[in-house]
Amino acid sequence: MSDDVTAWFTGRLPDTWFTEKPAITVDREEILLVGTLPPLAEQFQDEAATAAAESGRIARWREETRDHRIEIARQAEHRYGRKVAWGARVGGTEELFTTLSVPVMTRLRQPERRTLDTLVDAGVARSRSEALAWAVRLVGKHAEEWLADLRTAMTTVEDLRTKGPNL
C-alpha cells in the first residue's frame, strides 16, 4: 500500500511545495507526509535565531497551504481509510502538525510497571502513558537499523504471499 500512497501523493501534490520528494510514512491509522521547504536566504547570528526563522517559515507555509492540504487529505482519507498528518522541515527544524495520538492497550507485569513508575517518579515523564511513549521512542532511536531490516523482511514476506496461490 505504501507504494500506491507515495505514487498518489506524488501525483497530487503541487510541484512548488517542496524542494525534494516528501517522506511518506504509513501505519494502520495514519499517513504522515513530511516535506522539505526551500532553505532560508538569510544568515542569522545564532542557532536560536535560525531556529526561530525556520519555525516561522514552516508556520507561514502551513497557513498558506491549509485549504489545499485539507482537500488533499480529505481525498486521501477517503481513498485509503486513514487520517493524513502533515509536517515540514527547513534546515535543522522539523515540525509535525495534525498528527494523531492513538491509544494503545497493553498489559504489563509488575517489573515493567515499576520501570514506568520510576520514570514518572524521577520526573522523566508525567504519567505511565508518557513514560511508555518515551521508552518506545528511545528503543526506536537506538534500534532503527534493526527495525528497518525487519520492515524490509516483512515487505518481502508480503510480496511472496501476494504471489502465492489463491485458495
Side-chain angles (χ1 to χ4, degrees):
M1 172 188 263
S2 64
D3 288 342
D4 182 66
V5 169
T6 300
W8 187 84
F9 274 101
T10 298
R12 189 66 181 83
L13 293 173
D15 295 335
T16 58
W17 276 9
F18 305 122
T19 59
E20 57 191 55
K21 184 177 171 183
I24 299 174
T25 309
V26 180
D27 72 5
R28 292 180 182 127
E29 292 85 20
E30 181 177 41
I31 299 168
L32 173 62
L33 187 144
V34 181
T36 302
L37 303 177
L40 299 172
E42 291 184 51
Q43 296 295 318
F44 296 90
Q45 64 191 53
D46 59 24
E47 288 182 25
T50 300
E54 290 170 349
S55 183
R57 170 68 57 85
I58 291 170
R60 183 178 80 194
W61 179 83
R62 183 180 184 188
E63 290 299 320
E64 289 175 351
T65 62
R66 182 179 313 264
D67 292 340
H68 201 163
R69 284 185 301 104
I70 288 171
E71 180 58 25
I72 292 169
R74 188 187 61 72
Q75 292 171 4
E77 288 168 6
H78 179 11
R79 181 180 177 107
Y80 297 108
R82 289 168 169 81
K83 291 294 186 185
V84 175
W86 299 86
R89 79 175 60 86
V90 176
T93 303
E94 179 176 295
E95 295 182 15
L96 304 179
F97 27 95
T98 63
T99 58
L100 293 178
S101 180
V102 178
V104 178
M105 178 63 110
T106 186
R107 296 181 188 279
L108 300 176
R109 303 233 183 258
Q110 188 179 38
E112 292 88 9
R113 293 191 313 266
R114 288 186 65 211
T115 299
L116 297 180
D117 291 342
T118 299
L119 294 171
V120 171
D121 293 343
V124 173
R126 292 181 302 225
S127 65
R128 284 180 171 176
S129 176
E130 190 175 277
L132 187 56
W134 178 84
V136 169
R137 281 191 305 273
L138 187 64
V139 168
K141 179 180 176 183
H142 292 291
E144 191 57 44
E145 183 179 339
W146 179 80
L147 289 169
D149 290 346
L150 184 60
R151 287 183 188 109
T152 300
M154 289 169 32
T155 300
T156 302
V157 168
E158 185 59 32
D159 290 345
L160 290 172
R161 281 188 184 140
T162 59
K163 292 177 184 174
N166 286 336
L167 301 177

